[in-house]
Amino acid sequence: MSTARKMAKSLYSLHRRMIGAEVTGVKLAEQVSDEVIEQIKKDIHVHKLLLFRNQGVISGERHVEISRWFGELESTFYKHPKSPHPDVFRVSNDERQGCRNVGRTGWHIDGSFMQQPFKFSLYYIASAPMSGGTAFVSLNDVIESLSEEKRESWEKLWMVSDRRSKLIHPLIYPHPVTKAPTLCFHLGMTEGFCWNYERDNEKWTSWEETQNILEEIHEEIIKDNRHLIYVHEWQNGDFIVSDNLAVGHEATPETQFSASEVGLRILHRTTIKGENTPSKA
């Protein structure tokens, strides 16, 4: 290993946070050694969310290059004219600068409506507002905090997406890499639920039952004064890599406030193509 690469690797360090870890010693806009990239790819599954502070300006092209460390990009969103790259989703509180009203339909993972939900989501704040963050929650922590009775109930549930082919996924299933129990869900984009899917006692929920289950999931996430939740208040230059299959998220209400109230918000996001269909097996 070259002296430069040894130095690059020695500077890499992690600092645990409430959810995930903060990475120091890495400038993503610059060349990153193969060894550090491999360490980041390992650490994301251990910590679920990695935060890189003070990254300066990350171009759309560089954002995409970093994303490719984790797999093939897949984009399912509206292409805003101001987006710096076709694979970068640009979100803002000013419709002239990016897509508005994003992330406020309820707690979710990205791509729950797809056969194979996205593996990772990568976020970069191009312009941080004075107020308006992204809330994250470890889905395994939500499951482990359930009562035994509620855990047994959720294990029997399958969610039905309300988009495209109305795909059916188990609510709880093992993460394809870590094997830890996780959730496939979207509280704002669910057509219904099915109990004991493809079994003799299969039963589909009514509209009222569906709403009750969605509310129950929401309450489990925010219970006990939201102690499971980490709200990231963005600072200019922040870059976050999230294991989308292990971490749920939603935008906070302030993200919808106008730029005149809280300042201009511009958030860039990429998503990595999924490789696994959620399955109980």
Side-chain angles (χ1 to χ4, degrees):
M1 185 186 301
S2 69
T3 301
R5 285 193 172 185
K6 286 180 180 178
M7 185 177 294
K9 189 171 183 181
S10 68
L11 293 172
Y12 178 93
S13 60
L14 288 174
H15 306 272
R16 289 181 180 273
R17 301 173 62 88
M18 177 182 172
I19 295 176
E22 182 175 346
V23 179
T24 59
V26 176
K27 287 296 184 183
L28 294 173
E30 302 171 2
Q31 186 66 32
V32 179
S33 72
D34 291 342
E35 289 81 6
V36 169
I37 291 172
E38 288 305 310
Q39 190 62 52
I40 291 171
K41 290 163 67 175
K42 291 177 183 177
D43 287 335
I44 187 60
H45 287 304
V46 174
H47 300 284
K48 306 174 186 176
L49 186 149
L50 298 179
L51 167 64
F52 300 78
R53 290 276 198 195
N54 303 313
Q55 293 301 306
V57 176
I58 303 290
S59 69
E61 187 63 40
R62 182 56 178 163
H63 192 153
V64 168
E65 289 176 359
I66 296 166
S67 302
R68 289 187 178 129
W69 298 349
F70 301 92
E72 180 183 350
L73 281 88
E74 185 167 26
S75 308
T76 60
F77 43 77
Y78 170 72
K79 314 296 183 184
H80 193 276
K82 289 277 191 176
S83 175
H85 190 282
D87 284 321
V88 172
F89 185 28
R90 185 172 166 104
V91 176
S92 181
N93 55 356
D94 182 339
E95 62 185 10
R96 296 167 297 180
Q97 294 294 326
C99 298
R100 293 202 66 185
N101 303 314
V102 175
R104 284 294 299 158
T105 53
W107 287 92
H108 63 283
I109 65 166
D110 291 327
S112 63
F113 57 88
M114 304 173 72
Q115 186 70 45
Q116 298 172 323
F118 301 122
K119 291 194 297 183
F120 301 100
S121 295
L122 293 87
Y123 308 86
Y124 166 68
I125 193 78
S127 179
M130 293 178 289
S131 180
T134 303
F136 296 97
V137 66
S138 163
L139 300 177
N140 182 252
D141 288 351
V142 174
I143 293 170
E144 294 301 327
S145 72
L146 298 174
S147 67
E148 183 176 349
E149 179 182 10
K150 194 159 291 185
R151 172 72 180 271
E152 289 178 358
S153 174
W154 286 21
E155 289 280 5
K156 300 174 184 177
L157 280 171
W158 270 251
M159 63 86 70
V160 185
S161 172
D162 71 350
R163 288 188 60 183
R164 303 190 182 185
S165 57
K166 298 187 185 296
L167 290 170
I168 300 174
H169 290 313
L171 178 62
I172 294 180
Y173 73 104
H175 188 286
V177 175
T178 68
K179 306 307 177 186
T182 190
L183 297 172
C184 182
F185 79 118
H186 194 308
L187 298 188
M189 289 170 48
T190 298
E191 180 77 14
F193 291 92
C194 181
W195 298 97
N196 305 306
Y197 180 58
E198 292 187 329
R199 296 185 179 182
D200 292 339
N201 57 343
E202 174 183 288
K203 180 180 179 295
W204 299 85
T205 57
S206 66
W207 182 89
E208 183 177 0
E209 290 170 328
T210 297
Q211 300 310 306
N212 288 340
I213 293 169
L214 292 172
E215 180 62 26
E216 181 177 279
I217 296 171
H218 175 77
E219 289 299 322
E220 287 294 336
I221 291 173
I222 68 168
K223 69 183 180 184
D224 298 333
N225 199 31
R226 301 170 65 91
H227 82 286
L228 294 176
I229 297 168
Y230 163 62
V231 178
H232 184 72
E233 294 292 349
W234 294 93
Q235 300 176 19
N236 285 328
D238 283 356
F239 194 101
I240 284 179
V241 182
S242 172
D243 180 348
N244 180 59
L245 302 180
V247 178
H249 65 279
E250 75 165 355
T252 65
E254 296 83 4
T255 59
Q256 307 307 307
F257 293 179
S258 69
S260 62
E261 293 178 88
V262 297
L264 180 63
R265 177 178 185 260
I266 300 176
L267 181 70
H268 292 167
R269 189 203 73 184
T270 56
T271 43
I272 306 304
K273 184 177 182 178
E275 296 178 345
N276 300 90
T277 299
S279 171
K280 288 286 193 182

